[in-house]
Amino acid sequence: MKKNLFKTMLGLVICGAFLAGCGNGGGDAKADDKSDGKVTVGFSQLGAESQWRTANTKSVQDAAKNNDKITLKFSDAQQKQENQISAIRNFIQQGVDVIAVAPVVETGWETVLTEAKDANIPVILVDRQITGKNVDELYTSWIGADMKEEGVKAATWLEGYLKEQGKDQEQMNIAHLQGTTGSSAQVGRTEGLEEGVKANKNWKIIEQQSGNFTRAEGKEVMEAFLKSSGDKINVLVSENDDMTMGAIQAIEEVGKVPGKDIIIISFDGTNDALQQIKDGKINAVIECNPLSGEDIMETATKIKNGEDVEKEVFVEEGIFDAKNVEENMPRPY
């Protein structure tokens, strides 16, 4: 009796072990993970240097919060690349499903993104892009705006505006407030604008310096522009709305009228900037849409589930000026 009972119990143990082995095989476990649809996303945001960046962060956090299949791990790099590299390595150690990063500058990512690739963790670039040897192999998708096209839009808008004002044959001296040096936003917008300047022989950039995308530095750099070039400046092109706000303050403090004495073109499209268009202090804003959170979460989910995704996902953008500002207010940021 005991012998038969022992055989029966032994058989049950062997059978149970066999079934457990079948149920927990590597391939089937991964399939089960995919089928539950849950995704852990590690997001390294470059900082909070502007209203645009704050809106971008909120868009990502809200998209994750409103999706019960997403777990978001968030890190603020405070505009330091070393902090982003550290955050990415931390995400790798935690074994997240997808890493999303808004790179503070374009270069210097090969090593850490190779580490992510070796760990089989796909990477999504957000807003800004990267350069370097074989970097296309180190990320799965990029979501953001065409920064060079934004610069081209600025030049094209200025051409049209000057023609409307009967000033298209006049000499135009441009002061150019750039964003963080080496960021894809700065590189792209500068390239697009400079192409426009080359195409218009009566345009000249007489001042060009980074204001690091902040209001305080925008004011400081504009003060320096005004001291060195004074009445020579006809146009200000400022690569984000926060710097533009600082620049407007500097212009007013020397007794000039922004939007009249100096034509002002800005980038982003915040509520504050559109209000300045209404007030006549900014002439045009080239939109850069920060609301990419849903696109990021949708792309991350598709990647986790083995679906194909686009290498580049462009957000929709426009141009705001006195002709359409009313219909585009209020803005969501």
Side-chain angles (χ1 to χ4, degrees), residues 49 79 178-181 209-214 217-218 240 243:
E49 82 286 358
Q79 290 183 275
Q178 296 173 299
T180 301
T181 303
Q209 187 176 325
S210 171
N212 211 35
F213 287 130
T214 68
E217 290 190 52
N240 88 331
M243 291 192 303

Side-chain angles (χ1 to χ4, degrees), residues 4-16:
N4 289 337
L5 179 61
F6 174 77
K7 287 182 178 178
T8 302
M9 292 178 66
L10 181 60
L12 289 170
V13 170
I14 292 170
C15 182

Side-chain angles (χ1 to χ4, degrees), residues 187-229:
V187 172
R189 290 169 183 169
T190 295
E191 187 177 351
L193 174 65
E194 289 180 345
E195 284 187 4
V197 171
K198 287 179 182 178
N200 289 271
K201 302 304 181 184
N202 56 323
W203 295 8
K204 184 179 180 181
I205 296 176
I206 61 171
E207 298 285 356
Q208 189 175 58
Q209 187 176 325
S210 171
N212 211 35
F213 287 130
T214 68
R215 187 174 300 213
E217 290 190 52
K219 182 176 186 291
E220 182 181 329
V221 174
M222 191 65 206
E223 286 172 343
F225 287 172
L226 291 165
K227 283 180 182 178
S228 62
S229 294

Side-chain angles (χ1 to χ4, degrees), residues 167 169-173 201-204 206 234:
K167 297 181 178 181
Q169 300 303 314
E170 295 181 14
Q171 176 66 36
M172 286 292 142
N173 295 321
K201 302 304 181 184
N202 56 323
W203 295 8
K204 184 179 180 181
I206 61 171
N234 306 114

Side-chain angles (χ1 to χ4, degrees), residues 44-271:
S44 173
Q45 179 61 283
L46 66 89
E49 82 286 358
S50 64
Q51 293 180 67
W52 190 98
R53 189 63 53 188
T54 300
N56 181 242
T57 294
K58 187 176 186 302
S59 172
V60 173
Q61 291 175 329
D62 286 350
K65 183 180 178 181
N66 295 331
N67 189 332
D68 60 7
K69 298 291 187 182
I70 298 288
T71 298
L72 179 67
K73 295 181 181 293
F74 178 81
S75 177
D76 183 338
Q78 300 179 336
Q79 290 183 275
K80 295 180 180 179
Q81 185 180 35
E82 59 266 32
N83 291 346
Q84 289 199 294
I85 290 172
S86 177
I88 291 169
R89 286 183 171 141
N90 191 31
F91 292 149
I92 293 170
Q93 289 176 355
Q94 293 178 56
V96 301
D97 296 307
V98 178
I99 291 172
V101 55
V104 65
V105 293
E106 288 191 340
T107 60
W109 299 101
E110 292 96 325
T111 299
V112 71
L113 295 190
T114 298
E115 292 171 20
K117 183 179 180 180
D118 290 343
N120 295 316
I121 300 176
V123 172
I124 298 172
L125 300 182
V126 178
D127 174 36
R128 298 182 179 181
Q129 296 178 324
I130 62 174
T131 59
K133 187 176 180 180
N134 299 323
V135 291
D136 283 354
E137 300 173 4
L138 301 179
Y139 68 93
T140 303
S141 186
W142 167 83
I143 298 170
D146 188 333
M147 301 298 182
K148 180 180 177 181
E149 180 60 24
E150 289 178 358
V152 170
K153 285 179 180 178
T156 301
W157 182 89
L158 182 58
E159 286 177 353
Y161 179 77
L162 292 174
K163 191 170 184 179
E164 288 176 3
Q165 301 296 311
K167 297 181 178 181
D168 52 314
Q169 300 303 314
E170 295 181 14
Q171 176 66 36
M172 286 292 142
N173 295 321
I174 300 170
H176 183 198
L177 253 175
Q178 296 173 299
T180 301
T181 303
S183 68
S184 59
Q186 178 271 311
V187 172
R189 290 169 183 169
T190 295
E191 187 177 351
L193 174 65
E194 289 180 345
E195 284 187 4
V197 171
K198 287 179 182 178
N200 289 271
K201 302 304 181 184
N202 56 323
W203 295 8
K204 184 179 180 181
I205 296 176
I206 61 171
E207 298 285 356
Q208 189 175 58
Q209 187 176 325
S210 171
N212 211 35
F213 287 130
T214 68
R215 187 174 300 213
E217 290 190 52
K219 182 176 186 291
E220 182 181 329
V221 174
M222 191 65 206
E223 286 172 343
F225 287 172
L226 291 165
K227 283 180 182 178
S228 62
S229 294
D231 294 335
K232 295 179 183 178
I233 299 173
N234 306 114
V235 180
L236 169 66
V237 177
S238 171
E239 288 185 354
N240 88 331
D241 291 341
D242 283 79
M243 291 192 303
T244 305
M245 296 302 169
I248 286 172
Q249 187 178 349
I251 291 167
E252 291 179 328
E253 286 178 358
V254 297
K256 290 184 177 292
V257 181
K260 292 184 180 178
D261 294 333
I262 298 176
I263 299 166
I264 297 179
I265 302 172
S266 188
F267 291 80
D268 282 353
T270 62
N271 257 320

Side-chain angles (χ1 to χ4, degrees), residues 20-53:
C22 290
N24 291 322
D28 288 342
K30 289 180 181 176
D32 289 342
D33 286 345
K34 285 182 179 180
S35 66
D36 68 15
K38 292 185 180 296
V39 188
T40 299
V41 178
F43 178 47
S44 173
Q45 179 61 283
L46 66 89
E49 82 286 358
S50 64
Q51 293 180 67
W52 190 98
R53 189 63 53 188

